[in-house]
Amino acid sequence: TELEALPTGAFARRQQAAKLAAAGGGGADTEAAVDLALAWLAAHQLPDGGWSFDLGQAPECRGMCTHSPRGPRKEDRSGATAMALLPFLGRGFTHREGPYKKEVEAGIGFLVNATLKGNGKAYGTGGNQYSQGLATITLAECYGMTKDKRLSAPAQAALNYIMQAQDPNGGGWRYSARQPGD
């Protein structure tokens, strides 16, 4: 079958996104929807390279977007940035390949800076261990896709923070470091 002919390895398969979408019933319309979503994400990137759940912060938005979250979660810039970057990576676009190289480079730079500033802790105000997981996955995915040596140490530091944040008694994780898991 067509799917059996795809290259092996998680990152190699990403380069076959259109073929997989077609095999699953997708077509030009689904590819166009993904392209529109990536363009929307790129337009909502902030000047510092990150994203925000508070859509009103995006200069390109000019107040047109609504439904931003309320409370401290809207301040979770690392979580928002990781969630914005993952679709680019999922499409096979990195800071080295694809039409959004500049945007991905700036977003990855935002996460790298946050991780280095936090000695492995990737999140700040409004963030939590879930944000840490998202940022770590994003850094590791980008490193795995590109083998960019600049990402190796930050990705490892973010992973080390997760390991250090594990509940020493029960072995789980929760919102804060070393908190009993749920």
Side-chain angles (χ1 to χ4, degrees), residues 59-171:
E60 293 294 316
C61 185
R62 293 184 210 91
M64 294 184 294
C65 295
T66 60
H67 298 90
S68 292
R70 298 176 197 269
R73 293 290 299 148
K74 77 177 186 177
E75 301 300 321
D76 182 9
R77 298 285 313 286
S78 291
T81 300
M83 289 181 77
L85 284 169
L86 285 170
F88 291 102
L89 298 175
R91 181 69 165 208
F93 299 154
T94 69
H95 60 292
R96 292 187 169 168
E97 290 185 44
Y100 294 102
K101 290 187 258 191
K102 183 182 98 185
E103 290 84 357
V104 175
E105 174 76 39
I108 290 294
F110 181 91
L111 290 179
V112 164
N113 289 338
T115 302
L116 294 176
K117 180 181 172 185
N119 292 318
K121 179 182 168 193
Y123 63 92
T125 305
N128 57 37
Q129 285 297 109
Y130 292 96
S131 309
Q132 181 73 25
L134 287 166
T136 303
I137 289 168
T138 303
L139 291 171
E141 287 282 307
C142 195
Y143 173 72
M145 291 174 75
T146 64
K147 304 296 187 241
D148 183 342
K149 292 179 191 217
R150 297 176 301 162
L151 302 179
S152 176
Q156 186 64 56
L159 182 59
N160 292 346
Y161 183 83
I162 289 173
M163 291 186 299
Q164 293 166 0
Q166 187 175 24
D167 171 22
N169 298 317

